[in-house]
Amino acid sequence: MAGRFVISKDEQGGFRFALVANNGQTLAVGEGYPTKMACVNGIETVRRNAPEAEIDDRTQAEG
């Protein structure tokens, strides 16, 4: 079974999502959204784009 997305309210009354692994570890946290529907749309965007996402490592020294 894959992880799950958990939706919660933040301190400002907005909504956030977290991607949580089966072992309970938080893997990613979304930005704050003004409505629950916007938060759900954010989750759907991650679902669509994550399988194709590249790693952009900006910690490498440029030389």
Side-chain angles (χ1 to χ4, degrees):
M1 178 181 192
R4 66 185 187 280
F5 287 95
V6 177
I7 297 174
S8 60
K9 281 200 143 186
D10 63 20
E11 300 82 31
Q12 290 79 32
F15 296 86
R16 290 187 178 271
F17 69 83
L19 176 56
V20 180
N22 290 334
N23 66 1
Q25 180 180 5
T26 299
L27 303 174
V29 178
E31 63 184 68
Y33 295 90
T35 65
K36 192 174 197 178
M37 191 65 211
C39 187
V40 171
N41 287 338
I43 291 170
E44 292 305 322
T45 298
V46 170
R47 284 181 168 165
R48 279 193 310 272
N49 291 298
E52 306 284 328
E54 297 178 11
I55 297 173
D56 181 4
D57 184 354
R58 297 184 180 191
T59 64
Q60 299 297 318
E62 294 183 27

